[in-house]
């Protein structure tokens, strides 16, 4: 039993030994596995340690990165704040831009208007420049030309005289012309007619001269002609040609009358101003010699023009002349006195040639100024007739024919015997015919009514004795 137990135990031992061998093998394998595992574990630990180092390094980098991130976040926050400010600034700038854009639109519109204005102004400026250029040309022309006649003026004449006063232009003749009776024409026909006479005279003088002659108007009625390389004979030919042309022309009803004088510079030693003075003296000598004829012709021309101008006044003057002639006869005056009285009766209203026709023929009452204008006619008539030597006394009679016996007449306020005898006769004849004739401003009175008016004003307006003679003898009433 014991053997069996022992055998069993031996079997169990063998089994246990076999299991133990297996177990040892298993253990050896496990130990190998453990060793392998341990080696792996070492490697793993090394790897882990490396990883831990990497993690630490990464952690350190992460810390740094976090710090950097925190810094960046701070920067971002600062940048965000700056961006907010920038956005606000941008928004403000955009508003300013919009405002500026609106202003720019307005400015552009304003600029467009200004450009239009500039274009307009530019056009105006171009026109103004053209006008200025024209004015400059006109000023340049006027600086050397007489505005009325178109001839050269005194300034040009004086400059040309200096230029031409050289030996190569000898003989140099200065020809001076003076338009006769210009003042009379201006006084009695008006300055418009005087201007027309001057222009016509200038044309004639220019036409009678040669192309290179210098023709100038140096005064109101005075012309100077510079004739280089011209002797006295040639100057006389030019004067004759001008006078012949003048005889064929008129300015309206007015004949053209010019007096000439000349002098020639023959030697370079001669003073040109002395030559001018001699030419001027010669002209005035001729004018003085011819003046009675000239004045007589002018007065005749004025009388004819007066008669042609107003037929009603002409007829009135003829009736007054006959009444004056009759008064001279009944008063027993000499024939020459009667003729003179009749003539002055014919000419008593000649001054009205200078009075506006609208005033002379006005149907209604005259204004104060128009009456002043009418009252000028006796003085104008005096100036006309006094220019002719043989009419000087008649001029005095015409001047005084509107004086009154009581001293309230015009133009000098003479009274009673201060008034020339002939003027007192004319006053009565003039008033009687005026009252008995149809006029634009009044109807004619009967002869009886007119005589009543004369008697009523005897010793007031008229010489009372002459009124009696006029009624009882001249009219035979």
């Amino acid at each position: 039993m014991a053997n069996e137990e022992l055998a069993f135990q031996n079997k169990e031992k063998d089994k246990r030994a076999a299991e133990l061998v297996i177990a040892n093998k298993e253990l050896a394998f496990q130990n190998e596995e453990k060793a392998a595992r341990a080696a792996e574990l070492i490697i793993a630990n090394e790897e882990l340690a490396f990883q831990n180092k990497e993690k630490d390094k990464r952690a350190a980098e992460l810390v740094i990165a976090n710090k950097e991130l925190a810094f960046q976040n701070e920067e971002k926050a600062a940048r965000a704040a700056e961006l907010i400010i920038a956005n606000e600034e941008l928004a403000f700038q955009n508003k300013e831009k919009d405002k500026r854009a609106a202003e720019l639109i307005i400015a552009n519109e304003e600029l467009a208007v200004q450009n239009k204005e500039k274009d307009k102004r530019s056009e105006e400026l171009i026109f103004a420049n053209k006008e200025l250029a024209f004015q400059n040309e006109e000023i340049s022309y006027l600086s050397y030309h007489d505005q009325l006649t178109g001839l050269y003026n005194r300034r040009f004449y004086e400059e040309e005289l200096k230029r031409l006063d050289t030996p190569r232009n000898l003989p140099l003749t200065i020809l001076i012309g003076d338009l006769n009776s210009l003042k009379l024409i201006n006084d009695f026909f008006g300055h418009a007619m005087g201007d027309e006479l001057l222009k016509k005279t200038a044309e004639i003088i220019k036409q009678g001269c040669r192309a290179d002659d210098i023709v100038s108007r140096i005064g109101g009625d005075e012309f100077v002609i510079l004739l280089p390389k011209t002797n006295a004979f040639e100057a006389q030919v030019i004067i004759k040609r001008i006078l012949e042309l003048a005889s064929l022309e008129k300015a309206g009803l007015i004949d053209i009358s010019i007096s000439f004088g000349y002098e020639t510079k023959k030697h370079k030693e001669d003073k040109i101003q002395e030559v001018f003075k001699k030419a001027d003296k010669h002209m005035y000598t001729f004018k003085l010699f011819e003046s009675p004829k000239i004045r007589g012709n002018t007065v005749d021309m004025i009388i004819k023009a007066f008669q042609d101008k107003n037929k009603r006044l002409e007829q009135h003057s003829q009736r007054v002349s006959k009444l004056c002639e009759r008064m001279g006869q009944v008063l027993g005056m000499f024939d020459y006195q009667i003729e003179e009285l009749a003539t002055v009766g014919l000419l008593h209203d000649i001054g009205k040639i200078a009075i506006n026709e609208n005033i002379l023929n006005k149907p209604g009452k005259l204004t104060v100024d128009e009456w002043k204008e009418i009252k000028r006619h006796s003085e104008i008539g005096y100036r006309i007739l006094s220019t002719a030597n043989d009419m000087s006394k008649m001029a005095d009679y015409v001047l005084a024919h509107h004086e009154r016996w009581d001293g309230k007449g015009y133009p000098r306020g003479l009274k009673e015997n201060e008034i020339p005898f002939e003027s007192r006769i004319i006053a009565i004849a003039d008033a009687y015919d005026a009252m008995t004739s149809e006029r634009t401003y009044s109807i004619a009175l009967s002869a009886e009514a007119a005589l009543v008016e004369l008697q009523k004003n005897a010793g007031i307006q008229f010489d009372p004795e002459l009124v009696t003679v006029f009624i009882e003898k001249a009219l035979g009433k």
Side-chain angles (χ1 to χ4, degrees), residues 147-278:
Q147 190 171 0
L148 177 66
T149 64
L151 298 179
Y152 293 118
N153 58 17
R154 177 180 286 275
R155 178 182 177 185
F156 185 84
Y157 152 73
E158 290 174 349
E159 291 183 10
E160 282 297 287
L161 185 61
K162 292 176 184 177
R163 185 182 69 84
L164 294 173
D165 188 18
T166 60
R168 65 187 178 84
N169 287 314
L170 298 179
L172 174 60
T173 297
I174 297 179
L175 177 58
I176 298 178
D178 191 86
L179 178 60
N180 296 314
S181 304
L182 179 62
K183 187 177 185 304
L184 271 177
I185 301 304
N186 283 333
D187 285 346
F188 312 123
F189 291 96
H191 285 273
M193 180 57 72
D195 289 348
E196 186 64 29
L197 183 62
L198 281 167
K199 288 190 283 187
K200 197 70 177 177
T201 302
E203 290 174 9
I204 290 168
I205 293 175
K206 189 74 175 174
Q207 187 180 351
C209 290
R210 301 164 303 188
D212 294 334
D213 297 336
I214 307 300
V215 183
S216 304
R217 180 187 175 211
I218 64 169
D221 54 4
E222 194 169 13
F223 300 86
V224 175
I225 309 166
L226 297 179
L227 306 170
K229 300 178 181 178
T230 304
N231 58 33
F233 175 77
E234 292 169 318
Q236 290 172 0
V237 171
I238 291 172
I239 292 172
K240 183 179 178 182
R241 185 162 59 236
I242 293 172
L243 293 177
E244 286 176 351
L245 289 169
S247 69
L248 302 174
E249 295 285 349
K250 288 180 181 290
L253 297 172
I254 302 170
D255 294 325
I256 296 172
S257 174
I258 316 167
S259 296
F260 283 106
Y262 67 91
E263 183 64 28
T264 302
K265 177 176 179 176
K266 302 172 185 176
H267 310 290
K268 66 178 182 179
E269 295 82 11
D270 297 339
K271 301 296 183 184
I272 196 66
Q273 291 306 323
E274 290 300 317
V275 174
F276 177 87
K277 288 178 182 178
K278 288 180 181 179

Side-chain angles (χ1 to χ4, degrees), residues 452-472:
V452 170
E453 287 296 316
L454 287 178
Q455 290 172 327
K456 187 189 298 184
N457 285 282
I460 299 172
Q461 183 175 351
F462 308 114
D463 182 331
E465 293 183 6
L466 288 177
V467 168
T468 300
V469 172
F470 183 79
I471 295 173
E472 294 180 356

Side-chain angles (χ1 to χ4, degrees), residues 226-433:
L226 297 179
L227 306 170
K229 300 178 181 178
T230 304
N231 58 33
F233 175 77
E234 292 169 318
Q236 290 172 0
V237 171
I238 291 172
I239 292 172
K240 183 179 178 182
R241 185 162 59 236
I242 293 172
L243 293 177
E244 286 176 351
L245 289 169
S247 69
L248 302 174
E249 295 285 349
K250 288 180 181 290
L253 297 172
I254 302 170
D255 294 325
I256 296 172
S257 174
I258 316 167
S259 296
F260 283 106
Y262 67 91
E263 183 64 28
T264 302
K265 177 176 179 176
K266 302 172 185 176
H267 310 290
K268 66 178 182 179
E269 295 82 11
D270 297 339
K271 301 296 183 184
I272 196 66
Q273 291 306 323
E274 290 300 317
V275 174
F276 177 87
K277 288 178 182 178
K278 288 180 181 179
D280 196 47
K281 183 179 178 181
H282 294 159
M283 183 272 294
Y284 276 106
T285 299
F286 177 81
K287 196 178 184 73
L288 183 63
F289 177 75
E290 290 286 314
S291 60
K293 179 182 176 183
I294 292 167
R295 284 197 298 268
N297 290 341
T298 303
V299 171
D300 289 344
M301 175 184 63
I302 291 172
I303 292 170
K304 185 178 184 303
F306 171 68
Q307 292 170 343
D308 291 341
K309 179 180 180 181
N310 193 311
K311 290 298 179 184
R312 180 179 58 79
L313 281 176
E314 181 193 359
Q315 292 165 2
H316 164 70
S317 296
Q318 288 173 347
R319 291 192 297 268
V320 170
S321 177
K322 288 178 181 178
L323 289 171
C324 287
E325 183 180 14
R326 180 62 184 153
M327 278 290 285
Q329 291 169 348
V330 299
L331 287 167
M333 297 173 72
F334 293 112
D335 288 346
Y336 78 89
Q337 291 176 315
I338 296 172
E339 184 180 350
E340 185 178 63
L341 187 58
T343 301
V344 80
L346 185 66
L347 301 177
H348 75 284
D349 272 343
I350 192 171
K352 288 183 178 178
I353 193 171
I355 307 301
N356 189 294
E357 283 287 305
N358 293 330
I359 296 176
L360 289 176
N361 298 320
K362 185 175 180 179
K365 186 177 179 180
L366 296 177
T367 66
V368 173
D369 289 338
E370 287 169 342
W371 177 237
K372 285 180 181 178
E373 184 69 12
I374 285 285
K375 288 168 71 174
R376 290 178 55 238
H377 80 276
S378 58
E379 296 176 73
I380 295 170
Y382 169 80
R383 292 205 304 273
I384 292 173
L385 299 178
S386 63
T387 59
N389 291 336
D390 57 345
M391 291 186 173
S392 58
K393 285 201 297 183
M394 285 190 281
D396 291 332
Y397 305 154
V398 167
L399 179 65
H401 81 279
H402 278 293
E403 301 288 356
R404 288 168 53 110
W405 188 255
D406 61 5
K408 295 180 180 179
Y410 63 86
R412 294 185 291 171
L414 302 178
K415 66 179 181 178
E416 299 181 2
N417 292 328
E418 293 174 347
I419 305 168
F421 184 71
E422 291 81 359
S423 299
R424 285 179 262 158
I425 295 173
I426 298 167
I428 296 169
D430 183 29
Y432 176 78
D433 186 74

Side-chain angles (χ1 to χ4, degrees), residues 63-79:
V63 170
I64 294 169
N66 286 336
K67 289 179 179 178
E68 179 67 23
L69 182 60
F71 176 76
Q72 289 177 356
N73 288 336
E74 289 176 1
E75 286 292 310
K76 284 181 180 178
R79 182 61 181 162

